[in-house]
Amino acid sequence: MALTPLMSSTAVVLMAFAAAAAVALHPAVAAVSYDRKALVINGRRRILISGSIHYPRSVPEMWPDLIQKAKDGGLDVIQTYVFWNGHEPVPGQYYFEGRYDLVQFIKLVHRAGLYVHLRIGPYICAEWNFGGFPVWLKYIPGIRFRTDNEPFKAAMANFTAKIVNMMKSEGLFEWQGGPIILSQIENEFGPLEWDQGEPAKAYASWAANMAVGLNTGVPWVMCKEEDAPDPVIDTCNGFYCDYYTPSKPYKPMMWTEAWTAWYTGFGIPVPHRPVEDLAFSVAKFIQKGGSFVNYYMYHGGTNFGRTAGGPFIATSYDYDAPIDEYGLLRQPKWGHLRGLHKAIKLCEPALISSDPVVISLGNSQQASVFRSSSGYCAAFLANYDSESSARVTFNGVHYHLPPWSISILPDCKTTVFNTARVGVQTSQMTMERVGGFSWQSFNEEITSSNDESFTTVGLLEQINVTRDNTDYLWYTTYVDIGQDERFLQNGQSPVLTVMSAGHSLHVFINRQLIGTVYGSIEDPKLTYTGNVNLWVGSNTISILSVSVGLPNVGEHFETWNAGVLGPVMLNGLNEGRRDLTWQKWTYQVGLKGETLGLHSLSGSSLLEWGEVPQEQPLMWYKAFFNAPDGDEPLALDMSNMGKGQAWINGQGIGRYWPGYKAYGDCSDCDYRGTYNETKCQTNCGEPSQRWYHVPRSWLNPTGNLLVVFEEWGSDPTGISMVKRTIGSVCANVFEMQPSMRNWHTKENENSKVHLLCDFGKKITKITFASFGTPRGVCGNFSEGSCHAHKSYDPFEKKCIGQQRCSISVVPEVFGGDPCPGTMKRLAVEAICG
Ligand SMILES: *[C@@H]1O[C@H](CO)[C@@H](O)[C@H](O)[C@H]1NC(C)=O
Ligand SMILES: *[C@@H]1O[C@H](CO)[C@@H](O)[C@H](O)[C@H]1NC(C)=O
Ligand SMILES: *[C@@H]1O[C@H](CO)[C@@H](O)[C@H](O)[C@H]1NC(C)=O
Ligand SMILES: *[C@@H]1O[C@H](CO)[C@@H](O)[C@H](O)[C@H]1NC(C)=O
């Protein structure tokens, strides 16, 4: 279909780039601008579907496949943040290699034919360590982050310019023939501005001007920043954004973060968002006139090494995204959204050239109709009722709308998609054990001292001392006990109290572990209190304070403390209470094993490793292994372990903490009704994260080194390598509407079940089939009160022994209607072998 671009008279064309115009071939057309309806690329308004994929959260070997899967899923744009602390670990020393090869990532997106939305930030939040800021930034004299502060603004301007110039010199902006159509400065600043007033306003306006002054030739956005100064576009982030109106009538309605679920934290349940609701929220946004939607995340990936923010952000950043942490399609999420994107694209000519007219179809039902003067018509029929389905009449035709759903009619007649009718199969993933390890151990020293240890009076803030080069800081002091202490006779041991700003600590008395405490994602502070056995003479109190990711969000989070700030008290002595806070304390940064580089092949080979002892705290373990065959993604099953870190061939797998069980509400999940991050959770009472992704590309065929540092003292023989594979496939679809049955429409496709096994596998067994009112989810279906007795028959006949099969969801196929008048669905589960 040929499109007639309608440039509105209020179009703001960002052509303020003299240099750009000189380089571009057709500067008048080859530009990205915007108007009140949409981004305008090369003179044409576009409805754009985007997805976040963060390059350092996977490995370069995964990038082409992730990008291709995003393209196949119907995306036009890949959105990524830029990770300052990964790129400038030391002031003025830049790193753009490996997982941080930003240019290579953008070039791969370009090669796949997709656009890029580059969110430079450089504050990015992102559940990333320190919100993306390098820790050294905190120690620039006089600095205050994200406010009208000269040292901060100078550093921010420097890094932003560095990235923009790099993109220009690589020819990556759209006017240069590259893929970047959009940038972002700052990130979710609105809430801070609200709290801080004038200095924040001045800073926001400075940031916008600084960015615009870099002449990128593409628009800038500021998300969650309603005051975004012209020409920067203010955009919405959230679970729903249909309520959002840009601050100026000539700016388009854009959704920079459509949350596909939420992050995982240690100690909290794992969030999931039903695809029916996600699709509903996107359709609702488009029907209101929105023209840009970005899924945050489309592939979440992994917080490798110590990159997780926090504190207490988990290593997995899966986000229940359409492409899972391992790079596999998450079905039915990926497939159902793909159907949504196709339907939206069919509506694009009408969407970009008209404004919606809303018609009421019932109490909670309405139609949004886009009818252009050139004859295009697209309609969205919505049922906002969160309980019941509805039958509506639109243009004289009856339509059946499931609860909390939107049907899309690209020609104002034919339903090609309904957000609640998921016709795509579900793949039930399993973690299949492929082997264990044979371990050796090395005992970490308790209170060792090295060249860098030092002694001073009083307690020091942890990050001030470690500069976050390690999670670990030892605090050591001594307590003299006289022979006349009464507790030596009466057996009432003194009580030690240690107060810490976070995030976790282990207390040792005379080298014996006496306790472990840790904070939570809501409150990182913690207090240790316990009885201690002290002997006559000098006793050593050693506290290993452990950080678990630096904060990534919150007002002036750069000033938040970690570590043992006290008081530290000893109660129950003859003198009553002895305050140890202002004694001399000896500090040692990091573990001995870290100094020795035990995580690496070279470091670990320098010393003798021993047998694995019975559950001892602070132990290093190492094992060699060969790469499992096949190409399925791999993970470590750490479910038996407590807390620590793991490395493979020197690369950081991340922090593991299965010992921290998730506490929360995991009751049933219904797609209907307003979603929030606590609604559809799993893992209550279990580890928040059990499996840890091992990228295949980090392995050699043989002789791989796995090193684990375990703080709590769990037995490593329980660790195993697992492969992620498809266990069973399921489908769960509504029956076809009677009124639609005689039509040859795409809805017929929507009302068929398709089962498909991986290449080389066949359907070996139907483990469940019910046409009626089945309940439950893939892996745990059960029959409802209505069930057709011949539910299994068509599957047994047409599917067993096949790689794929399709069955129409109409009563005749299952031996007749088991409960006339009730809206039925079909649930089926099959095993591929
Ligand atoms: C800006 O970058 C230049 C060159 O890399 C460096 O010399 C300067 O110190 C930086 N300034 C700030 C404030 O970071
Ligand atoms: C961090 O160290 C600096 C000096 O290096 C000191 O002025 C500051 O008070 C310390 N901060 C804390 C919280 O201890
Ligand atoms: C989140 O959703 C749950 C379940 O629907 C609800 O009980 C809770 O109040 C919601 N929380 C917020 C903050 O809206
Ligand atoms: C299976 O579903 C039933 C109810 O439909 C529920 O009570 C049970 O906990 C579920 N089992 C699992 C393993 O999810």
Side-chain angles (χ1 to χ4, degrees):
M1 275 182 270
L3 296 185
T4 324
L6 297 184
M7 297 284 290
S8 111
S9 57
T10 51
V12 177
V13 183
L14 298 176
M15 299 270 290
F17 43 94
V23 178
L25 278 175
H26 306 287
V29 209
V32 185
S33 62
Y34 64 81
D35 65 17
R36 67 180 188 86
K37 289 290 290 177
L39 287 182
V40 179
I41 303 178
N42 295 321
R44 193 181 142 206
R45 284 180 180 158
R46 297 291 306 272
I47 302 293
L48 293 170
I49 309 292
S50 173
S52 290
I53 300 178
H54 294 158
Y55 50 98
R57 283 179 154 141
S58 59
V59 289
E61 291 77 3
M62 289 170 69
W63 294 346
D65 184 56
L66 295 175
I67 293 164
Q68 187 60 41
K69 283 171 171 158
K71 184 179 185 180
D72 294 345
L75 264 52
D76 306 295
V77 183
I78 301 295
Q79 187 203 68
T80 182
Y81 282 125
V82 175
F83 297 78
W84 187 1
N85 53 11
H87 292 306
E88 197 177 356
V90 175
Q93 289 181 25
Y94 294 100
Y95 182 77
F96 287 94
E97 280 155 51
R99 287 188 287 124
Y100 292 92
D101 193 342
L102 172 60
V103 167
Q104 175 64 9
F105 180 76
I106 294 177
K107 286 183 173 170
L108 286 169
V109 175
H110 192 208
R111 209 166 296 158
L114 301 181
Y115 293 125
V116 168
H117 177 203
L118 193 67
R119 305 172 89 189
I120 299 177
Y123 169 67
I124 60 170
C125 189
E127 291 74 63
W128 190 257
N129 200 42
F130 225 32
F133 289 131
V135 173
W136 53 257
L137 192 66
K138 168 176 173 172
Y139 297 98
I140 291 178
I143 204 159
R144 301 261 294 156
F145 288 4
R146 305 179 72 203
T147 188
D148 196 13
N149 168 281
E150 296 308 321
F152 179 77
K153 291 191 299 186
M156 172 168 166
N158 236 14
F159 182 72
T160 308
K162 165 91 189 169
I163 296 298
V164 166
N165 291 336
M166 186 176 211
M167 297 301 112
K168 277 188 192 167
S169 68
E170 296 281 348
L172 295 176
F173 286 107
E174 205 276 346
W175 54 267
Q176 299 177 296
I180 304 174
I181 54 165
L182 199 60
S183 273
Q184 177 177 305
I185 195 72
E186 249 293 337
N187 189 56
E188 299 194 339
F189 190 66
L192 279 192
E193 186 173 319
W194 183 257
D195 291 344
Q196 297 181 354
E198 275 318 311
K201 276 200 192 341
Y203 162 69
S205 144
W206 167 84
N209 288 332
M210 181 272 287
V212 170
L214 292 170
N215 296 326
T216 59
V218 301
W220 289 88
V221 306
M222 290 177 103
C223 62
K224 267 204 188 173
E225 169 60 44
E226 289 175 21
D227 281 352
D230 271 346
V232 177
I233 308 166
D234 56 307
T235 64
C236 183
N237 293 351
F239 288 117
Y240 304 90
C241 275
D242 52 278
Y243 65 86
Y244 194 78
T245 316
S247 59
K248 301 280 169 50
Y250 45 83
K251 292 180 182 176
M253 182 173 163
M254 297 174 66
W255 190 359
T256 32
E257 292 187 14
W259 298 329
T260 52
W262 202 242
Y263 59 81
T264 300
F266 290 124
I268 57 172
V270 180
H272 301 270
R273 185 174 188 189
V275 68
E276 294 93 330
D277 178 64
L278 178 58
F280 174 75
S281 70
V282 170
K284 211 170 165 204
F285 181 74
I286 299 291
Q287 85 176 5
K288 277 287 289 288
S291 56
F292 180 99
V293 178
N294 175 74
Y295 294 100
Y296 189 100
M297 301 293 297
Y298 197 75
H299 167 259
T302 310
N303 295 314
F304 293 115
R306 300 174 54 251
T307 60
F312 302 100
I313 301 293
T315 293
S316 169
Y317 199 65
D318 180 82
Y319 232 89
D320 199 27
I323 304 176
D324 74 17
E325 178 177 4
Y326 300 88
L328 301 178
L329 300 185
R330 171 167 279 118
Q331 294 287 35
K333 209 165 207 174
W334 181 89
H336 190 54
L337 294 176
R338 176 182 197 236
L340 170 68
H341 305 152
K342 281 187 179 168
I344 291 171
K345 282 303 161 79
L346 290 171
C347 301
E348 188 174 18
L351 295 174
I352 59 172
S353 53
S354 58
D355 292 324
V357 173
V358 177
I359 304 165
S360 171
L361 303 176
N363 282 342
S364 308
Q365 294 78 32
Q366 55 181 219
S368 302
V369 184
F370 294 80
R371 194 185 297 278
S372 74
S373 52
S374 44
Y376 295 114
C377 187
F380 291 67
L381 308 187
N383 178 14
Y384 302 125
D385 193 313
S386 62
E387 296 294 325
S388 313
S389 55
R391 200 172 132 89
V392 297
T393 306
F394 172 68
N395 283 346
V397 179
H398 295 305
Y399 295 86
H400 190 105
L401 304 174
W404 198 255
S405 81
I406 295 176
S407 281
I408 301 180
L409 291 63
D411 58 357
C412 283
K413 290 194 201 87
T414 318
T415 303
V416 301
F417 185 86
N418 174 278
T419 55
R421 287 173 187 269
V422 180
V424 177
Q425 87 177 15
T426 301
S427 305
Q428 178 87 347
M429 307 308 290
T430 58
M431 295 303 219
E432 183 191 321
R433 188 178 190 276
V434 292
F437 301 92
S438 142
W439 296 97
Q440 292 180 290
S441 75
F442 175 81
N443 213 331
E444 174 63 31
E445 272 178 38
I446 295 164
T447 348
S448 65
S449 52
N450 60 19
D451 300 349
E452 277 142 55
S453 46
F454 63 94
T455 300
T456 187
V457 170
L459 294 164
L460 299 180
E461 198 275 334
Q462 179 157 347
I463 309 307
N464 240 5
V465 181
T466 63
R467 298 291 158 115
D468 198 41
N469 289 316
T470 165
D471 281 359
Y472 300 99
L473 178 63
W474 282 104
Y475 292 73
T476 304
T477 194
Y478 301 92
V479 175
D480 278 326
I481 294 298
Q483 279 172 340
D484 57 347
E485 283 291 345
R486 283 190 293 276
F487 76 83
L488 295 168
Q489 269 75 50
N490 67 18
Q492 292 179 351
S493 320
V495 175
L496 177 70
T497 302
V498 178
M499 298 185 76
S500 165
H503 308 139
S504 159
L505 58 76
H506 309 286
V507 183
F508 298 82
I509 302 288
N510 297 326
R511 295 169 194 268
Q512 292 299 308
L513 179 67
I514 60 158
T516 291
V517 280
Y518 44 93
S520 69
I521 206 158
E522 293 85 21
D523 185 5
K525 290 193 208 58
L526 53 102
T527 302
Y528 170 81
T529 309
N531 290 92
V532 290
N533 288 320
L534 301 174
W535 55 47
V536 174
S538 177
N539 295 265
T540 310
I541 299 181
S542 326
I543 302 167
L544 182 60
S545 179
V546 190
S547 59
V548 193
L550 299 188
N552 53 269
V553 65
E555 203 164 321
H556 289 296
F557 64 76
E558 75 273 20
T559 62
W560 299 2
N561 294 327
V564 182
L565 293 178
V568 178
M569 300 284 189
L570 199 52
N571 276 289
L573 302 179
N574 290 357
E575 66 201 89
R577 158 187 296 190
R578 193 182 297 178
D579 188 345
L580 310 183
T581 311
W582 292 102
Q583 300 204 144
K584 277 189 179 168
W585 289 82
T586 298
Y587 293 87
Q588 189 203 307
V589 175
L591 304 169
K592 177 162 190 205
E594 289 180 302
T595 313
L596 293 171
L598 290 192
H599 67 287
S600 68
L601 200 54
S602 52
S604 70
S605 60
L606 287 180
L607 44 95
E608 283 292 308
W609 292 63
E611 300 287 296
V612 174
Q614 288 286 320
E615 319 203 334
Q616 271 196 39
L618 307 195
M619 291 295 296
W620 294 84
Y621 299 110
K622 75 167 181 180
F624 288 94
F625 67 100
N626 297 337
D629 53 17
D631 58 2
E632 303 89 343
L634 301 173
L636 292 174
D637 181 351
M638 304 295 283
S639 51
N640 288 351
M641 301 302 282
K643 175 182 187 301
Q645 291 178 45
W647 298 262
I648 284 184
N649 295 332
Q651 306 258 25
I653 295 292
R655 299 186 183 96
Y656 68 83
W657 199 347
Y660 206 155
K661 302 292 187 277
Y663 176 78
D665 178 5
C666 289
S667 52
D668 269 10
C669 170
D670 190 325
Y671 82 88
R672 297 174 300 175
T674 306
Y675 176 81
N676 68 44
E677 70 279 15
T678 64
K679 192 171 159 187
C680 290
Q681 309 187 108
T682 60
N683 296 48
C684 291
E686 294 167 30
S688 299
Q689 188 181 349
R690 169 177 181 180
W691 292 292
Y692 295 78
H693 182 204
V694 175
R696 280 261 180 196
S697 61
W698 288 0
L699 301 186
N700 305 313
T702 59
N704 298 291
L705 172 68
L706 168 59
V707 175
V708 168
F709 175 68
E710 165 63 33
E711 296 174 22
W712 289 13
S714 305
D715 179 1
T717 56
I719 300 175
S720 54
M721 184 71 85
V722 298
K723 277 183 184 177
R724 189 163 171 86
T725 58
I726 297 177
S728 54
V729 296
C730 298
N732 188 358
V733 295
F734 281 108
E735 69 176 320
M736 195 184 300
Q737 290 176 237
S739 67
M740 302 296 293
R741 273 198 221 151
N742 300 327
W743 296 25
H744 183 72
T745 68
K746 296 213 166 148
E747 178 137 19
N748 290 348
E749 280 306 305
N750 252 7
S751 289
K752 255 185 182 174
V753 299
H754 305 273
L755 296 176
L756 169 65
C757 296
D758 265 0
F759 185 73
K761 296 200 171 175
K762 291 189 163 70
I763 296 171
T764 56
K765 194 163 184 249
I766 303 297
T767 52
F768 182 87
S770 177
F771 177 68
T773 53
R775 289 190 299 248
V777 295
C778 186
N780 188 24
F781 285 127
S782 58
E783 285 174 20
S785 54
C786 168
H787 169 75
H789 293 289
K790 292 193 170 167
S791 292
Y792 281 73
D793 291 12
F795 293 99
E796 302 281 1
K797 257 186 237 138
K798 277 191 73 180
C799 300
I800 300 289
Q802 305 297 316
Q803 192 214 345
R804 61 164 72 221
C805 65
S806 303
I807 306 282
S808 290
V809 188
V810 292
E812 304 83 78
V813 171
F814 305 99
D817 194 337
C819 45
T822 300
M823 180 139 183
K824 290 165 288 295
R825 48 195 307 140
L826 173 80
V828 58
E829 177 170 353
I831 305 287
C832 296

